[in-house]
């Protein structure tokens, strides 16, 4: 639906916050998705009721055992390069904040119509994810300043500079999108 431009402005806040709610639930069970991308977000349209979001393909997800702080063995690179966090691209340990980064990529793509990093090869995209600072979505499309700042926070190279939970991201996003709609 994103590629077809088939997402209405009325649906967006609900769908985006539902993704955050689903991630919050997974993270609450110590599960990190690690391959969050539009293809793994399914919009279900029931016969009755409103459409809702489901997260799919937890194929490379990692269950963090109690007390474990990272989800990936150091040196192991897994995921879809355009949506991978810098720490994931580097093969470093990841936690739930890698999914927050992927949410930033998806939001940037959704609001600007383009990926934060372009490249012809897997390695070129990985290198840009690690080193380059993406342009704000507002450079490519009209994006409200508050939303632009939130997307850029999600895309921070340092996980500590990103929203620290999917719940926090969902709440902040809800507030920003409510302000945008008004």
């Amino acid at each position: 639906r994103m590629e077809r431009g088939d997402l209405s402005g009325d649906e967006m806040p609900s769908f985006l916050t539902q993704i955050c709610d689903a991630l919050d639930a997974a993270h609450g069970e110590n599960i990190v998705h690690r391959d969050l991308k539009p293809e793994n977000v399914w919009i279900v349209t029931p016969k009755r009721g409103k459409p809702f979001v489901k997260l799919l393909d937890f194929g490379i997800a990692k269950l963090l055992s109690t007390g474990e702080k990272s989800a990936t063995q150091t040196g192991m690179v897994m995921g879809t390069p355009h949506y991978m966090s810098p720490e994931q691209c580097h093969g470093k340990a990841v936690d739930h904040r890698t999914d927050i980064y992927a949410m930033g990529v998806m939001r940037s793509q959704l609001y600007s119509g383009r990926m934060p990093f372009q490249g012809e090869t897997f390695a070129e995209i990985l290198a840009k994810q690690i080193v380059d600072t993406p342009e704000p979505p507002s450079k490519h499309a009209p994006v409200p300043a508050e939303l632009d700042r939130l997307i850029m926070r999600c895309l921070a190279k340092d996980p500590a500079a990103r929203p620290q939970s999917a719940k926090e991201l969902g709440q902040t996003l809800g507030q920003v999108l409510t302000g945008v709609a008004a």
Side-chain angles (χ1 to χ4, degrees):
R1 289 182 67 180
M2 190 165 76
E3 287 174 5
R4 292 191 316 256
D6 188 24
L7 288 169
S8 75
D10 294 341
E11 294 174 311
M12 296 281 278
S14 176
F15 290 160
L16 293 173
T17 54
Q18 285 178 43
I19 295 168
C20 291
D21 291 344
L23 280 177
D24 184 50
H27 296 165
E29 296 296 324
N30 294 317
I31 298 170
V32 179
H33 193 286
R34 299 192 306 170
D35 197 24
L36 188 62
K37 57 188 175 184
E39 293 86 349
N40 291 337
V41 177
W42 194 257
I43 298 171
V44 178
T45 306
K47 288 184 180 183
R48 290 182 207 88
K50 295 181 181 183
F52 61 93
V53 168
K54 284 189 173 194
L55 289 186
L56 306 176
D57 195 2
F58 280 78
I60 66 167
K62 173 79 176 187
L63 177 63
L64 298 176
S65 60
T66 306
E68 186 179 352
K69 293 190 175 165
S70 69
T72 304
Q73 183 177 352
T74 302
M76 195 171 192
V77 177
M78 299 176 79
T80 304
H82 284 101
Y83 301 92
M84 290 169 61
S85 66
E87 60 274 19
Q88 194 176 6
C89 292
H90 230 318
K92 292 182 177 178
V94 300
D95 61 20
H96 63 281
R97 296 172 297 183
T98 202
D99 291 340
I100 302 295
Y101 186 89
M103 287 292 293
V105 173
M106 290 191 329
R107 283 180 172 79
S108 180
Q109 179 184 13
L110 185 62
Y111 285 99
S112 73
R114 55 183 294 156
M115 300 300 291
F117 297 110
Q118 306 293 322
E120 293 183 23
T121 66
F122 186 89
E124 184 180 358
I125 296 166
L126 291 184
K128 287 180 178 183
Q129 291 281 31
I130 293 167
V131 177
D132 293 354
T133 299
E135 296 175 332
S138 60
K139 182 162 183 177
H140 305 285
V143 177
E146 243 184 300
L147 182 57
D148 209 37
R149 283 190 296 276
L150 179 60
I151 291 169
M152 294 306 290
R153 270 188 63 211
C154 291
L155 295 174
K157 299 294 180 201
D158 179 2
R162 297 177 201 146
Q164 294 301 292
S165 70
K167 182 176 183 176
E168 176 191 339
L169 176 58
Q171 289 171 338
T172 305
L173 184 65
Q175 293 166 356
V176 167
L177 292 177
T178 299
V180 167

